[in-house]
Amino acid sequence: MDSQVETEAKPDIEDPEKKKKKEEKAKAKELKKLKALQKAEAAKLQAQQASSNASKKSERKIKRDAEEENAEDYIDPETPFGEKKRLSRQMAKQYSPSAVENSWYAWWEKSGFFVADSSSSKPPFVIVLPPPNVTGALHIGHALTSAIQDTIIRWRRMSGYNALWVPGMDHAGIATQVVVEKKLMRERKLTRHDIGRENFVSEVWNWKNEHGGTILKQQRRMGASLDWSRECFTMDERRSWAVTEAFVRLYKEGLIYRDLRLVNWDCVLRTAISDIEVDYEDIKVRTLLKVPGYEKPVEFGVLTSFAYPIEGGEEIVVATTRVETMLGDTAIAVHPDDERYTRFHGKFAIHPFNGRKLPIICDAILVDKNFGTGAVKITPAHDPNDFEVGKRHNLEFINIFTDDGKINSNGGPEFAGMPRFKAREAVVAALHKKGLYKDAKDNEMRLGLCSRTKDVVEPLIKPQWYVSCSGIAKEALDAVMDDENRKIEIIPKQYAADWKRWLENIRDWCVSRQLWWGHRIPAWYVTLEDDKMKELGAYTDHWVVARNEEEAQIEASRMFRGKNFQISQDPDVLDTWFSSGLFPLTVLGWPDDTQDLKAFYPTSVLETGHDILFFWVARMVMLGIKLGGDVPFRKVYLHPMIRDAHGRKMSKSLGNVIDPLEVINGISLEGLHKRLEEGNLDPSELVVAREGQVKDFPNGIAECGADALRFALVTYTAQSDRINLDIQRVVGYRQWCNKLWNAIRFAMSKLGDDYTPPMEIVPDVMPFTCQWILSVLNKAISKTVSSMDSYEFADAASTVYSWWQFQLCDVFIEVVKPFFSSNDPKFASARRFAQDTLWVCLDNGLRLLHPFMPFVTEELWQRLPPARDCARKESIVISDYPSVVQCWTNERVEYEMDLMESTVKSLRSLRSLMPAKERHER
């Protein structure tokens, strides 16, 4: 007890170390209590969240179950062919090209939306589809043509024009004959000669009716709004009659004549071919090439020198890249400045194989620049360089080749019957044997190859029918180049220079082909009973041109009155380009004075590739002016050539050929490989092609749909002379279609089932954002229309895209979302204005986009509610194209919005510079 009292009376002084330990213990105890409390709170919160999550999961499950129960609400019901598409009750959550692009086209076509009326009071707008080959399938060039032309024609149709887009198909003489000949050989081991002309032509018609026209069916898949009621074929009855009439009229006016001239001869096809059907291969050094009909490769790029003996024991050395043609040599040319050889002028060289005397003449024109001064052999029947001069010197023309490229009896007995390139080897060996061979060295040259058969083109002299072009070419030239009376505008304008160059240097046009499939030339040869030479064509003045055999008989009787004769029709057919050149006239019913011809000729624009500006476009203009009395079209729009993403020409052997239908529908890498294997590539080419596909399309090609492909192709037209097509760009536009889809889904959810659009919009009473989007919509409409009008399609597409993407979706829809987030009465007015503005934007925006993307715009537009008390058109196809509404334009609002947008962008830029932890704080 004493000690206790003592303690109270006398406090003890605590040890500092002990005190410190005590405080730490207390703190630890407090921290433990705090942690326990936090743990309890966390457990409580977790329990609440678990309960909430369970509730949400339950809600989601109920919703998912409901969706699964009503899955059919999101799937379009089946639509009977040709009926209006039946849409699902609910919009699918994601855009599907195959689902969206189904059924619409058949309904459009059956409804007659694409049919033009020749009695309409609307102004006409006419395009003639460049007729694809009957043998063809849709390739990416066709897809580009289709995308551009359909964009133009849909826009004009919606803009109040009597729009006509005429489909047609070309009989494609050479291509079709080759296809059917191969089929005959493959299936029956027969040639056309085995079955005869009449049976062969019948076989071609059977093939055409069964397989031809695939490409026109594929045009429907592209959405091409062609007037199928006017579909025609260059060899149907009406077109064939028109071709005959054109030939007869031109002949009677002295514009068609027959002459003996050099032509490009294909020894496989056994016909003359046009310049456009000749591909040129540049050869730098000795090169071995495969030639059809030869087991071993043939050597080219070699200049062979040999000597001709001259009377008196001397010799003269000449050089050639085609030594076999020396069998037809008729003279030797010496350059007047060559002192070595001019002393031989007037003497004769002796042909070593046939003893023919060859005059030695001085003529500088005959000496090719590659030889400088020196001597050159003259083979006027086979060499285009000396043909005209050969005529000037009255040299004999000696044809040493048969139609299939063998040496005939004129070439000498020891070489007769040899194929020309085997004869080449034999001639060199014979020259060695006679001691006349000198040497052979590398020689750079351009080798002409037939684009279809890959045969080496042989220049041969043949009697052919020609169109005299100088006069009609001058009219075609003036139609483009005469500033005071220009009738045709070429776009892009730089191609007018090509037009001028070609037409100022035009040569007469060889229009006959030695084929069986095509328009038979309406000319009959008259063989008189007392003619010494009986073969067809022996006398140039024995031809009559007539519309039919009866008329030919009457004309022959008039020409050869009182004489006995027989007539036989020329077996040749007309160049395919002749009937194609008449196409703008014949599709409208010429030579009859039809209602279509009166209403729709001249057409409005020709759209095609710049590579056939001369071969087709110029010929249409020449024939149109001459036979139709006016140019066939007012504008010519030339699109670029398509290459792959790396700028390479598309080639099967590179594996970079793009099939539009494979882009539309999608295809796996294995599918691409399979297509290659079904072709005719040799094993080494197949390896390279497969590697190319693996590199460019490692995952195949995604399904993009026609709309995305069309839009991508149109945006590429800004590239002036060639398009480097990257499929990923198409994929990007397919993803953008999903953005459009979601914009409509958002709108439909905010408009509601009972929403009725207003009769008119009064921007002044609307919220700022609504005024702004209407003003920029006005600008987009104005810019799109002006770009379309000036044929700047890429600018038009870009304008529409930018408004949808960067103004409607990125700004307006995001800004108005808060108006719909609650039912707060204070937002009621703004909410209604936002609904009206949203509807107006979507209605105008879809119509603005429709010419570029017809399928998705039709589907989305059909889902929009129609305006109040207003009979809406049945389809977006025939609805009105948007036009500027003056009261929507508000420059002040646009300026203020630009200021806000630039401020937001600046703030975002500043935020990106902040430390990562602070970057996302409010």
Side-chain angles (χ1 to χ4, degrees), residues 340 539 575 835 842:
R340 295 171 302 162
Y539 299 98
D575 179 12
Q835 285 177 316
L842 295 177

Side-chain angles (χ1 to χ4, degrees), residues 571-585:
D572 291 354
V573 299
L574 283 163
D575 179 12
T576 301
W577 293 105
F578 188 82
S579 53
S580 299
L582 296 167
F583 210 56
L585 285 166

Side-chain angles (χ1 to χ4, degrees), residues 593-610:
D593 192 20
T594 62
Q595 192 62 36
D596 271 7
L597 195 63
K598 292 174 186 175
F600 299 123
Y601 189 88
T603 66
S604 306
V605 62
L606 175 81
E607 190 282 334
T608 190
H610 64 74

Side-chain angles (χ1 to χ4, degrees), residues 392-456:
R392 188 178 76 199
H393 287 281
N394 295 316
L395 298 179
E396 180 186 5
F397 297 151
I398 301 173
N399 181 21
I400 60 165
F401 292 129
T402 60
D403 286 352
D404 60 351
K406 293 185 173 69
I407 305 298
N408 64 22
S409 57
N410 293 333
E414 61 183 295
F415 305 105
M418 287 186 182
R420 54 189 165 147
F421 296 125
K422 289 192 175 178
R424 176 177 294 185
E425 296 174 354
V427 167
V428 169
L431 288 170
H432 270 290
K433 194 172 181 180
K434 289 182 177 289
L436 297 173
Y437 179 87
K438 296 300 179 183
D439 64 25
K441 59 184 180 182
D442 289 357
N443 183 71
E444 191 172 334
M445 65 183 293
R446 291 189 82 208
L447 189 67
L449 304 173
C450 175
S451 59
R452 301 189 184 280
T453 64
K454 304 306 175 189
D455 189 30
V456 176

Side-chain angles (χ1 to χ4, degrees), residues 244-280:
T244 296
E245 182 65 24
F247 190 95
V248 172
R249 289 191 191 185
L250 292 172
Y251 177 81
K252 288 186 174 180
E253 290 194 38
L255 291 174
I256 285 184
Y257 63 93
R258 189 172 172 85
D259 196 12
L260 196 66
R261 294 190 175 189
L262 276 167
V263 294
N264 298 314
W265 190 263
D266 184 301
C267 297
V268 172
L269 297 173
R270 303 187 194 183
T271 182
I273 58 175
S274 68
D275 292 342
I276 199 174
E277 289 158 331
V278 180
D279 295 333
Y280 288 95

Side-chain angles (χ1 to χ4, degrees), residues 466-481:
Y466 289 87
V467 175
S468 177
C469 291
S470 55
I472 53 178
K474 177 67 168 64
E475 292 182 280
L477 178 63
D478 291 343
V480 172
M481 305 306 296

